[in-house]
Every structure is written in structure tokens, then in C-alpha cells.
Amino acid sequence: MEVHAFGIDLGTTNSSVAEAIWMAGQKPVCRVLEIDQPLWPAGTMTSPLVPSVVAVLDSGVPMVGEGAKRLRTRPQEANLFPERDLFYETKNDIGLRKTYHRAAESFNHASKIAGHILRFLKDAAPQKEQAPAHFCVTVPASFQLNQRRDTLLACGYAGIDLQDDDLLDEPTAALIDYIMSESADRVVEAGKTNQCVVFDFGGGTCDVSVMEITADKKTKQVLMSQIAVSRYHRLGGGDLDAAIVHEHLIPELLKENDLGPLDLTWAEKKRGLEPQLLGTAEALKESLCREIDRLKKFGKYGAADKENVVARQPGITLYLGKRSFHMARPTLTASQWETLLKPFLDRDLLYASQTEYRLIQSILSPLQDALDRAGRKPEEIDFCLMVGGSSLIPLVREAVEVYFKKSSVGFFHDPIAIQLSVARGAAWNCLYKAITGHNLIRPILHDALALVITGESLYPLIPAQTVLPYPADDVWARVELVVPHQKDLFTDRLLFKVVSAKDRQIIIHEIWNIPEHVTAGTEIVMEYRITAGKQFQCRAFLKDDPAVVFEHDVENPLVNVVNPGSTRLLIEEKEEELKRKGGGSADDRDDFLQLARWYAELNQKERALDWLRAALNKLGRPDAEALNLQAIYYGDLGDHEREEKLYREADRATTSWDGPMFNLALSYYRRAMYREATDAIDAAIRKGGQKGQSLTLKAMYLEKSDPEKDSKPLYVKAINAFGSPSSLSDWELGWYMTAARGAGDKKAVEKADNEKRERGGKTYIDLEAPLPGIKGELIARG
């Protein structure tokens, strides 16, 4: 008997495939495959790491791996364009409705790109007719149902037939490989439950999984319960490369080529220069980290002059259309690297911030977030496993060791092994499952699930420590319920509330609007199960009318998952909507402006300006609101010449709106240009009338430019112009408060404070439907 099993790590930045083999009478072995990857225009390179990049050349045949990655840095040479015939980091789009509208049909969605990568990896796997091959593909632990479905779809495109339980969570795969190849004792101890964290800091993502690991003494089975997952899918080693590009290399490039900070547009820097410089940034990072690691091993880094610890790369010429720019000798010093890394290792500032070009967030944020959601403290964790290519960075590793205390942190000592552990773990699991029919580490529920019934009592549904799936034979568990007695004779809705038994964490809180009126005592059947893919499914129906059905599914019950970036998702959806319209037209003017506002909210002002330029181009005429927003964002960027020009252009584009001149006056005020401010606010008043905010701003100028003059009468005039605080917008209420304080009017200040409190303290009453009762209980009647 011979069994061949393949594990595929479908990564954001790199992918790999490992093979595990077992032959009767022999010890099983696992190896990572070295894969030949085509280069352009000719040649091959062999490596176990396959960059998750796809390029579609003139022949229409996709190039996958290293050759496509190199073309990413010089796409113009092969006439390639991102999301048309060059695709990278598309794993971040898995599960989204986003399509690549410029691409051919077989490349127009992330699942199809993943399918091409998977086929390339599958074709590299040696398969024998007499020994059928088994496959396992890994996914982030936080992948939701739509993302898992897209991954299964990608497997289908690649000719890999998988079921949902053939997808293995990446942290579990990494842990399996560590147990098999490094040290099982630190993770698994018979009869004891260990608190473990897997910190997977890859090129494009940062995944943290908090889990409990138990080894059953009797069955020798390893059981795992996932407690919390925190996935920051926009935070990865690529953000460090982008930091090098935008904070270091591009400023040096501009300096070498006598260009100012705003002489190139956002699109030219982000879409033009960044792809060409990322390879250089990555090479500088890796070279410098190797040198830092070497110095640390010899105990010399602490005393070294960080300015003299330098990584260098050959000169590079970059192209933007027909223009060319040259960098003579790109370098990166340890001092510069530590400065760039500082916000990524901050223990206090854990919130995310977004620059024009990249995400900035501490890698300790997902760690803290996952532990908070799991209700654990760092000192309560028995073991933390660090995986992912970016975990190789010495300063990152040190930060995590300090966070957890050095004795509890484990990692792969081989730099290549750390990047291949997920594929190897998937292969080991696939082999074990092919032989036994079960996963090597079996998922369990760490807490019981219960249904909340009449009187807020708990009725047990699934016991704690249950091995998944439940029920084991892919059927539905069942409980019989009744409609409880209510004040009214008839009831047309019922609340289904499923919680964790220990802390009453809500799993389901849904109202069933029954399409027909029912009375107390009406019997209801509720069926439920948890799939091997960790999806809790339940459905309910009237016993006498099974066609009347309530259905609800919950992914990863009892697992706290966070995927930050709601504004980013709104942007992606709106951009996708415009793509489907061929880029949008003048009719989509409001969408262009909304995208600009969202990007500005993320502090990506140059990107916002690009959308406003596009809006004006589509309109083919001046638009006061678009021009006004452009002026605001240029002012935020410090380009006051363009700011003033655009405010005045916006003012000319409207006959009645005083906003542009008011904003220009405010800009002058902030820069202490009081004479210019007075002229601008007078122009705003001439156009819009004596509004409260304009009079308030004029009083503020008067206070600054001529302190001897009494500004209070003007503030009082402003208060009267505003009218009642309840009729004001939040923005106007802020100006009203300024006027009230300037006038020394305590009553007006009190009115504004009361209005703010009322607006901030609105409460909404949730009128819940009745909870069901359990069949057999006495139904009281009034």
C-alpha cells in the first residue's frame, strides 16, 4: 500500500506545495517540492517558494511565479497592466464581489487567479496512477463562508476536487508541522490543556489564532479548540516594503531627479513607481535583516554604529510613460530601518492609520486584539509559535518575545522552513486523513451551546468539548419547542437566541416572523448542526406545516473574528460598481465625490484628489463641490497656492454658495493672514448673507487682528443669526458653541451643551419577540 498526500499553502505573497508519503512497513516522510518557474523572456528558476503572481503574456498562456513577479517591477517591457494581465496579492480579494473588468473572462476574479496558481502547483506535484493523490489546501483561520467557497471554486478551476473539510486553517497547519518537525513537548502534553497562540506574519497578512490544545490520554488524539482569531489582511511584510518605498526610496528618487514632493501625482507614485521599487525595497530589507541577525548572534549589534550597518542595491532606472528617472545606488541603513519599523512595533499606539500609500499598524495590535477577544493575558499563554516570512525580521521576533516572555515563544530556525511550514503541515494532515478518515488535530467546541427559552433559561444543544462535525454522521440534531403563552391570543413572531453556556456570548439573536398567526402551545421543530467547516446551521418549522421555515447560519461560532477596514470595504464595493459601468460617467458624479471623501477619511488625500480630477473630467465643466474638496485636500497637503486657486475657482462655479470663500477665509485665519481672511469672509457674506458661522469667523479675526476692538457684539449677532440650536447641523452647532463662548453667554453655552448631550445620548428600544418554550412544559393560560 502506498499513499501520496499533497498540502498546498495558497499564500498572499508566496505559495508552496509539500508531499507526504507513506508506504506499508515504512516511516512516513514529508518534503517540500522544488518547482521550476518560467522567466521572461526565457529561462527558468527553481525554488520551493512560488510568488503568487500571474502574468498573461501575448500568447494568452499564464505565467505563474518568479517570472511574473519580476515582470511586476517592469510591466512596461511586456505591455502588462495590473488587474488586466498582471495579478498579485489577489488573495485579499477572495470572497469579494470585486471583478477585474479589464481582464479576460478566465482571469476576471480572484478565485480564477487562485485557480491558475493552484493548477501550476498541482501540475508540479508528481502523481502516480497506481497511488491516487490526495490534496489539502490551506486558508486563513478567519476566512468566512464566502471566502471558503471562493477557495473551493478555485480548487475546482485547478482540477482539485475538495470538500469544505479538506480546507485546513493555516495556523493549525503550522502547528502540525512544528509538532512533527521541531518539538511536540512544548505544544502537546497528555492530559493537559495548553493555551497556544500562532502568530503568522506573512508578506500580505497578519493572522493571529488563539487556541486550546489537549492530548486525550485514552485515544491519543490531539484536540484543538479555537478561541479567537484576529486577521489584519491589510497588514503584512508588504507594508514594510511599501514603507521603504514611500518613506525612503521615492523621496531619494525625487531628490536625485530635482523633483518636488507634489511634482508627481498619487497615481504616478503608487501605480507607476511603487511596483518598480518594491523588488529593490524587499532586497534591501532582506539583506539588512541578515546582517542585523549576524551581528546580533555575535553580540555586536547593540554597540554598532547603525548608520554604518548598510544594505545596498545596484542602480535602477524607472519609467513613467516616456519619462525616465534614475537612482544611482539605493541604500538602507539600520538606523533608517529602525525608524521605519518603530510604529510597527509600538506597544502603546495599537490603532491603525493609513497614509496616502500604505497601512501603518503595530504588529502587536492583532496579538492584543486576539487575546482580548479570547479573554487571555500574554502571561497566561503557554506557547506562541511564530510563522510567516516576516517573522524572520530580527526586531519583529524580539518584540514578540518581549511581549510573551522569551521562554514561551517558538519558531523554525531555518529561514526557508518558516516560510514552508504551512504547506508541510497541510501535507501531514492530508496524509493522516487519507489513512484514518480524520484530521490529525480535530477541532472541538471549547464551550457548550444552548438555546435561550422562556424565562431566560438555557436548554443545552451541544456539550462543551464536542468533536466536530456534530452530529458526526452529517445529520441534524433536533429539539421540539412550543409557542409560549402571551398576553395576546395570537403570536406572529418568535425570538431564536442561541448562546454559549459559559458566558452567554450571543451566537444567534434573530426574530422569526411567522407568516401565519399561531397560538400558545403550537408545536415547533428546531434542527441544528455544526459542519466540519465550523459553520453552525439551524432551521425551524411549524410541526403541522413544515413548509413554514426559519433558517440561519453562523460561521465560526464561539470564535471571535475581526477583519478591520469597513471604510476600505465600502471603497472596494463602490470602485467595483464603477468598474462594471466601464469606469463611470457624469451621472456617477456623486459616487466619485463619495470615494474622494472615503479616501480622505483614510488620510489618503492624493488618492482622493485623483477621484476628484476624474469627476471633473467626466463632468466636462466646473463643479463647485468637487473643486472645494480639491482645495481642502491640497490645503491639508500644504500646497496653499493650489488651495487658494481652487477655492476661488469653486466660488466662480456657484452663484449662491458661500462655502468656498468661507473655507478660504478659514485657511487664511489658520495661517495668521488676517487681512486676506477679512477680504475672503466679506466675500462669503456678500454671496451667502450674514450667517452665524461667517459672523463668528469674522469676530475671531477681529480678536486676533485688533485686540483693542470689542468683538462681543459680533459674537452676539452671530448667536442670533444661528437661531435655535436644535435646528442646527452638528457642524453649525460647533460654530454656535464658539460664538456663545466668545460672547460670554452662559445660557447659550448651556443650550449648546444640552443639545450635544441629547444628540449623543439617543437610545433605541429593541422590542424583542417572545422566547420559545420546550415541549412538555406546562403552558399557563390566563
Side-chain angles (χ1 to χ4, degrees):
M1 181 182 178
E2 186 175 336
V3 181
H4 287 253
F6 296 94
I8 295 178
D9 174 14
L10 180 63
T12 307
T13 306
N14 293 303
S15 297
S16 54
V17 57
E19 180 184 25
I21 305 170
W22 177 76
M23 288 185 276
Q26 296 186 26
K27 218 176 157 184
V29 293
C30 183
R31 67 186 181 102
V32 177
L33 303 183
E34 297 274 347
I35 298 177
D36 293 334
Q37 303 167 51
L39 303 178
W40 187 88
T44 59
M45 181 191 132
T46 303
S47 171
L49 287 172
V50 177
S52 301
V53 185
V54 176
V56 187
L57 302 175
D58 292 337
S59 63
V61 177
M63 173 182 282
V64 178
E66 185 62 31
K69 178 186 176 183
R70 294 183 186 184
L71 281 170
R72 181 185 174 186
T73 66
R74 51 184 204 281
Q76 67 282 348
E77 292 183 18
N79 192 31
L80 299 176
F81 195 83
E83 296 187 359
R84 184 191 71 186
D85 38 31
L86 181 62
F87 307 92
Y88 46 87
E89 295 185 0
T90 55
K91 185 177 176 180
N92 285 331
D93 298 332
I94 286 278
L96 299 179
R97 290 183 296 171
K98 177 180 179 179
T99 59
Y100 309 130
H101 69 287
R102 286 187 293 262
E105 177 69 23
S106 59
F107 298 92
N108 67 356
H109 191 266
S111 61
K112 296 180 180 179
I113 301 303
H116 287 290
I117 297 169
L118 286 168
R119 180 171 289 281
F120 181 76
L121 296 171
K122 178 200 168 196
D123 291 346
Q127 299 174 50
K128 300 179 181 179
E129 289 186 12
Q130 64 273 25
H134 303 268
F135 282 88
C136 172
V137 175
T138 62
V139 292
S142 60
F143 256 27
Q144 302 296 291
L145 187 60
N146 57 333
Q147 294 166 303
R148 290 175 182 266
R149 283 176 179 162
D150 268 8
T151 305
L152 289 173
L153 196 61
C155 293
Y157 292 141
I160 302 173
D161 184 20
L162 295 187
Q163 300 302 313
D164 190 31
D165 62 341
D166 294 317
L167 298 177
L168 183 66
D169 289 348
E170 290 166 5
T172 306
L175 204 60
I176 288 171
D177 186 51
Y178 189 82
I179 291 170
M180 298 296 291
S181 60
E182 294 282 336
S183 172
D185 296 340
R186 299 183 70 183
V187 183
V188 180
E189 190 176 336
K192 183 188 173 187
T193 297
N194 282 336
Q195 307 291 321
C196 295
V197 168
V198 177
F199 176 69
D200 185 356
F201 188 29
T205 61
C206 185
D207 267 339
V208 177
S209 184
V210 183
M211 53 187 78
E212 291 180 345
I213 306 290
T214 306
D216 191 293
K217 281 184 176 181
K218 293 180 180 178
T219 64
K220 308 297 182 185
Q221 178 76 54
V222 179
L223 304 174
M224 182 198 75
S225 173
Q226 218 163 38
I227 311 297
V229 173
S230 182
R231 174 175 165 79
Y232 282 61
H233 76 287
R234 299 290 177 183
L235 174 63
D239 292 292
L240 305 182
D241 298 338
I244 296 171
V245 168
H246 292 287
E247 307 302 319
H248 179 58
L249 293 179
I250 287 181
E252 286 300 315
L253 177 77
L254 295 175
K255 194 182 298 180
E256 281 190 41
N257 291 270
D258 297 323
L259 294 170
L262 295 176
D263 285 348
L264 298 179
T265 66
W266 178 92
E268 288 171 329
K269 293 174 188 173
K270 180 68 178 176
R271 294 175 179 161
L273 295 180
E274 183 186 292
Q276 299 179 66
L277 285 169
L278 279 173
T280 299
E282 185 180 19
L284 287 170
K285 176 185 72 177
E286 291 176 354
S287 174
L288 188 61
C289 286
R290 283 194 296 270
E291 178 61 14
I292 291 173
D293 197 37
R294 186 187 71 81
L295 291 171
K296 282 182 174 291
K297 284 175 181 175
F298 288 105
K300 294 183 178 181
Y301 183 70
D305 181 352
K306 308 293 172 61
E307 290 293 339
N308 290 326
V309 180
V310 187
R312 294 180 175 85
Q313 284 293 298
I316 181 174
T317 300
L318 301 104
Y319 297 91
L320 290 174
K322 295 181 180 180
R323 293 176 293 167
S324 64
F325 309 91
H326 188 70
M327 283 192 78
R329 186 69 162 150
T331 61
L332 181 67
T333 68
S335 176
Q336 291 166 334
W337 177 231
E338 286 189 1
T339 300
L340 289 172
L341 266 183
K342 192 173 181 181
F344 291 96
L345 304 178
D346 199 305
R347 290 200 63 168
D348 301 313
L349 304 179
L350 300 181
Y351 52 82
S353 60
Q354 193 103 21
T355 71
E356 297 286 346
Y357 306 97
R358 61 187 181 85
L359 175 75
I360 302 174
Q361 184 154 30
S362 171
I363 61 162
L364 300 179
S365 182
L367 272 173
Q368 188 63 53
D369 177 82
L371 289 178
D372 287 346
R373 290 168 182 274
R376 306 292 192 274
K377 296 178 180 177
E379 56 268 25
E380 294 173 339
I381 299 302
D382 297 302
F383 178 70
C384 171
L385 175 63
M386 293 185 69
V387 293
S390 299
S391 293
L392 293 166
I393 298 170
L395 297 174
V396 168
R397 185 175 294 174
E398 285 180 4
V400 175
E401 286 175 340
V402 169
Y403 184 82
F404 280 113
K405 299 178 182 176
K406 191 170 183 178
S407 60
S408 65
V409 177
F411 44 83
F412 295 87
H413 294 277
D414 182 346
I416 295 296
I418 199 171
Q419 299 179 73
L420 302 173
S421 62
V422 170
R424 285 195 309 270
W428 280 121
N429 187 76
C430 188
L431 180 67
Y432 185 87
K433 188 177 179 184
I435 296 169
T436 68
H438 300 294
N439 287 317
L440 186 55
I441 296 181
R442 302 194 67 180
I444 62 172
L445 283 184
H446 68 276
D447 194 358
L449 293 185
L451 177 70
V452 183
I453 58 173
T454 307
E456 292 289 332
S457 301
L458 297 186
Y459 182 83
L461 297 178
I462 305 175
Q465 306 303 306
T466 296
V467 177
L468 303 183
Y470 176 87
D473 50 3
D474 200 32
V475 296
W476 294 76
R478 171 183 283 220
V479 59
E480 294 188 346
L481 309 171
V482 292
V483 174
H485 169 71
Q486 293 294 297
K487 182 179 179 181
D488 296 328
L489 179 61
F490 295 102
T491 299
D492 60 359
R493 60 184 190 154
L494 207 60
L495 174 63
F496 280 92
K497 192 172 177 180
V498 177
V499 299
S500 61
K502 186 178 179 181
D503 56 9
R504 290 207 175 205
Q505 174 189 333
I506 293 176
I507 309 301
I508 290 177
H509 189 288
E510 294 291 327
I511 292 176
W512 178 19
N513 291 304
I514 306 170
E516 58 185 68
H517 295 302
V518 294
T519 58
T522 300
E523 294 185 15
I524 294 168
V525 176
M526 174 181 168
E527 296 181 330
Y528 59 94
R529 66 184 179 185
I530 298 186
T531 68
K534 296 180 292 185
Q535 184 184 21
F536 179 75
Q537 301 173 336
C538 79
R539 62 192 184 195
F541 51 87
L542 300 178
K543 190 173 183 179
D544 294 336
D545 189 359
V548 180
V549 179
F550 164 84
E551 292 182 299
H552 196 75
D553 296 349
V554 177
E555 302 162 45
N556 287 333
L558 302 180
V559 178
N560 288 289
V561 179
V562 61
N563 284 295
S566 57
T567 302
R568 171 60 61 182
L569 291 176
L570 289 171
I571 287 171
E572 288 176 351
E573 287 185 4
K574 185 60 70 179
E575 288 181 337
E576 176 61 21
E577 186 181 316
L578 289 174
K579 284 178 184 176
R580 287 198 296 269
K581 294 180 179 179
S585 65
D587 294 337
D588 301 299
R589 173 258 190 202
D590 290 348
D591 289 341
F592 283 86
L593 267 60
Q594 182 59 66
L595 280 165
R597 291 189 183 95
W598 279 333
Y599 273 112
E601 183 183 319
L602 296 177
N603 202 32
Q604 297 184 36
K605 303 294 172 54
E606 289 185 48
R607 187 71 185 94
L609 287 167
D610 267 15
W611 278 107
L612 293 170
R613 288 190 199 99
L616 290 166
N617 185 46
K618 297 286 185 185
L619 287 167
R621 58 175 173 77
D623 180 281
E625 189 176 0
L627 290 163
N628 181 68
L629 286 174
Q630 277 189 315
I632 291 171
Y633 301 150
Y634 271 118
D636 292 341
L637 292 169
D639 190 335
H640 298 299
E641 184 179 341
R642 282 194 176 106
E643 177 189 22
E644 180 176 346
K645 171 186 170 184
L646 286 159
Y647 277 137
R648 294 192 183 282
E649 189 65 27
D651 181 58
R652 284 191 286 271
T654 174
T655 57
S656 57
W657 184 35
D658 59 351
M661 293 309 291
F662 176 87
N663 289 335
L664 178 58
L666 185 59
S667 172
Y668 284 140
Y669 173 78
R670 287 170 176 163
R671 289 180 281 149
M673 299 170 67
Y674 301 125
R675 182 181 298 172
E676 293 84 349
T678 302
D679 293 341
I681 201 65
D682 285 344
I685 290 171
R686 283 195 298 273
K687 179 167 280 191
Q690 296 195 350
K691 294 179 180 176
Q693 58 267 24
S694 297
L695 294 171
T696 302
L697 189 54
K698 189 167 186 178
M700 290 163 62
Y701 298 150
L702 187 61
E703 277 186 324
K704 293 288 186 181
S705 60
D706 195 349
E708 293 183 4
K709 279 192 177 180
D710 186 6
S711 58
K712 281 189 178 181
L714 202 49
Y715 279 125
V716 171
K717 190 176 181 180
I719 292 171
N720 293 330
F722 277 116
S724 171
S726 61
S727 66
L728 303 178
S729 68
D730 289 345
W731 179 79
E732 289 170 328
L733 187 61
W735 282 101
Y736 179 93
M737 177 67 84
T738 301
R741 286 173 177 158
D745 189 333
K746 292 181 180 179
K747 286 187 177 180
V749 170
E750 187 178 348
K751 281 183 184 178
D753 279 335
N754 290 338
E755 181 63 27
K756 283 177 72 176
R757 273 196 298 274
E758 282 185 26
R759 294 185 188 191
K762 286 183 180 177
T763 56
Y764 300 91
I765 299 172
D766 181 16
L767 298 174
E768 293 188 344
L771 294 160
I774 294 295
K775 184 180 177 183
E777 290 183 337
L778 176 66
I779 300 172
R781 296 187 180 277

